[in-house]
Amino acid sequence: MISLFELFKIGLGPSSSHTVGPMRAARDFIASLEAEEIARLDRLKTTLYGSLAWTGIGHATDKAVILGLAGCAPDEIDPDDAERRADDIGRAKSLPLGKRTISFEPARDIVFDYETIPAHHPNTLAFEALDAQGVPLATARFCSIGGGFVVPEEAVGTLSAPSEAVPYDFHNATQLLDISRQTGLSIAQIVRANEAALRPPAEIDAYLDRIIDAMMACIDRGMTQTGLLPGRLKVRRRAAALHERLLDDRTSNQRPPHEIMDWVSLFAIAVNEENAAGGRVVTAPTNGAAGVIPAVLRYYRDFYPTASRTGLHDFLLTATAIGGLFKRNASISGAEVGCQGEVGVASSMAAAGLAAALGAESALVENAAEIGMEHHLGMTCDPVGGLVQIPCIERNAFGAIKAINAASLAMRGDGAHHVSLDQVIQTMRETGADMSHRYKETSLGGLAVNFPEC
């Protein structure tokens, strides 16, 4: 089981796999050191491999590592404080470790290894704690496998069982639909029952509300911010201007029929501009795809007269089931399968969540999820300049629109369809395996090399 509490995590932009994951890994490594090792520690060395090396600068991986080594957690540190703290450590060339401080030079102690091919996962990073003679006191290697999930390198490809048994264990969509038919429970009710086996119901509802509030706050903040996004591309924020134009259009006698699509696009763009700026976002299921689910959730909340708190909760619980299936049976890492594993999965999750919130039965929800992914198959991850900006920001807007369309198409049908969700998940995994590494978050192919930066 992949829990709601694991799949949706509050953190910092611009990337769950390149920012949130490395920060968590660095923090975990420091926490694992014994007091005697800390006392003898003279230097900390971090080596980034694969995609973490190729796009780490644009994804702020180096700053994430610095903050993690300093003991910061991505869901706790204030976004405005994160940049300052990382810069202060770099300028002082010293790293605080509890009651002591050690020499730390980012240019020396964070190594971007562009040559070594990691053996188990393209997002691999290694830590070494060294004494004054350069002798290792402790070492560890982690893989950031997407969505902020971090595992020891030797654990890649394994699935840990939940600490307690859940009443409805399912490994694929076929089993999920069978459970729904046999019990009469909706997908949201199945997920809630499983979560309730692990924690009190009130805690589940509180976390759902926390995630919803964080998503809505991110949209609201993104719609007010102006100026340039960080990085050499000098991309100008446009959500605030879009918002103003849409508000002005409300007084017009001739409003375009597609206006509602513009609102959905605005919501997604607002989130992903916040993500690109290193703001507070929710991995849904990743940071690079963080705008899709909030945009569709906001669409449901703001434009459906029947929208309710229960509907918002059912949306996210259902999305959890779908996202968990993709993570379990394929991947949600752009570095592993391309952007089909990020925006594609987010669109599939959002389509299923919207259908569930609107009262669709489980077969229609599964159909919506299948449609949402089927039309993202083969999508590459080729961020220009290694930044999560072009084409990532607009791509979230299109993922949200596709999700709404997928839910609508499914709910106008009877649930019968030729391609199942399980088949499309398998196809996504195989397509990702066939895809050249140049198109998997390395910025070595596609739009990243054909876009003239000057």
Side-chain angles (χ1 to χ4, degrees):
M1 172 185 167
I2 295 173
S3 169
L4 161 79
F5 289 71
E6 297 173 301
L7 199 61
F8 293 103
K9 293 184 286 292
I10 298 174
L12 301 180
S15 172
S16 50
S17 60
H18 288 57
T19 310
V20 176
M23 192 186 302
R24 294 179 68 193
R27 189 171 189 259
D28 289 348
F29 177 67
I30 291 297
S32 72
L33 297 179
E34 302 289 342
E36 186 267 341
E37 292 170 333
I38 291 286
R40 294 174 55 198
L41 183 62
D42 182 72
R43 181 187 172 197
L44 283 167
K45 179 183 176 183
T46 303
T47 304
L48 306 172
Y49 300 98
S51 178
L52 291 182
W54 284 109
T55 60
I57 296 295
H59 288 63
T61 306
D62 49 346
K63 293 185 178 180
V65 168
I66 293 170
L67 291 169
L69 292 176
C72 301
D75 60 335
E76 296 174 0
I77 187 169
D78 184 276
D80 295 330
D81 190 43
E83 186 85 12
R84 179 192 59 78
R85 290 191 65 175
D87 288 344
D88 286 349
I89 290 170
R91 278 192 296 269
K93 296 184 179 181
S94 62
L95 181 71
L97 294 174
K99 295 182 179 180
R100 60 170 306 211
T101 299
I102 65 169
S103 173
F104 185 83
E105 298 182 34
R108 177 197 68 181
D109 297 323
I110 300 178
V111 178
F112 292 81
D113 186 335
Y114 302 105
E115 304 297 330
T116 304
I117 300 175
H120 300 286
H121 194 279
N123 290 336
T124 298
L125 65 167
F127 298 98
E128 296 176 88
L130 308 170
D131 67 12
Q133 286 71 47
V135 177
L137 300 169
T139 62
R141 293 172 67 91
F142 294 88
C143 294
S144 182
I145 59 175
F149 288 85
V150 178
V151 297
E153 187 179 38
E154 64 272 15
V156 171
T158 65
L159 288 169
S160 59
S163 56
E164 299 178 47
V166 295
Y168 305 112
D169 192 22
F170 57 91
H171 297 173
N172 54 53
T174 300
Q175 293 174 352
L176 178 59
L177 290 177
D178 285 344
I179 292 170
S180 182
R181 281 191 290 266
Q182 292 164 9
T183 63
L185 297 175
S186 68
I187 292 174
Q189 289 170 329
I190 291 168
V191 174
R192 181 179 284 278
N194 285 345
E195 295 287 350
L198 307 178
R199 54 185 56 84
E203 188 177 337
I204 299 168
D205 286 332
Y207 192 73
L208 286 165
D209 288 337
R210 183 185 176 204
I211 292 300
I212 293 166
D213 289 346
M215 288 180 172
M216 298 304 134
C218 187
I219 292 174
D220 290 338
R221 188 174 193 279
M223 291 191 300
T224 65
Q225 302 302 299
T226 59
L228 299 179
L229 293 172
R232 66 181 184 271
L233 297 181
K234 306 299 181 186
V235 173
R236 185 170 297 279
R237 285 181 182 253
R238 50 181 169 159
L242 286 171
H243 188 213
E244 288 296 325
R245 292 191 190 102
L246 284 169
L247 290 177
D248 289 343
D249 285 349
R250 285 183 166 179
T251 62
S252 172
N253 291 326
Q254 294 183 333
R255 295 164 65 177
H258 61 267
E259 180 185 86
I260 198 166
M261 294 196 303
D262 292 339
W263 278 100
V264 174
S265 296
L266 165 65
F267 300 150
I269 288 170
V271 170
N272 282 86
E273 287 181 348
E274 280 295 285
N275 179 63
R280 175 81 67 211
V281 298
V282 178
T283 60
T286 68
N287 281 30
V292 176
I293 288 175
V296 180
L297 197 68
R298 181 75 162 240
Y299 162 77
Y300 165 74
R301 191 198 76 174
D302 288 3
F303 292 100
Y304 273 89
T306 57
S308 65
R309 180 171 180 262
T310 298
L312 293 168
H313 285 192
D314 285 349
F315 186 119
L316 291 181
L317 290 167
T318 304
T320 296
I322 303 305
L325 290 177
F326 277 102
K327 176 161 175 44
R328 181 185 184 93
N329 298 312
S331 175
I332 58 171
S333 168
E336 200 169 13
V337 295
C339 199
Q340 59 175 354
E342 298 202 28
V343 169
V345 172
S347 186
S348 181
M349 293 168 65
L354 179 60
L358 296 177
E361 61 182 38
S362 296
L364 297 178
V365 170
E366 184 264 356
N367 190 14
E370 183 278 321
I371 295 171
M373 171 50 74
E374 184 177 344
H375 302 290
H376 280 93
L377 288 173
M379 180 177 282
T380 59
C381 182
D382 49 355
V384 174
L387 298 165
V388 193
Q389 298 176 15
I390 302 172
C392 318
I393 294 172
E394 282 186 355
R395 188 167 283 178
N396 275 258
F398 282 90
I401 296 297
K402 283 187 180 181
I404 295 169
N405 198 24
S408 179
L409 285 173
M411 292 183 69
R412 290 186 181 278
D414 59 6
H417 51 290
H418 292 285
V419 180
S420 71
L421 179 58
D422 287 330
Q423 289 169 334
V424 86
I425 291 174
Q426 178 183 348
T427 303
M428 190 269 269
R429 183 184 70 244
E430 293 171 352
T431 303
D434 291 339
M435 192 181 293
S436 167
H437 78 282
R438 294 184 298 120
Y439 303 112
K440 293 190 281 192
E441 210 165 358
T442 61
S443 292
L444 296 175
L447 192 62
V449 299
N450 289 322
F451 176 86
E453 293 189 39
C454 58

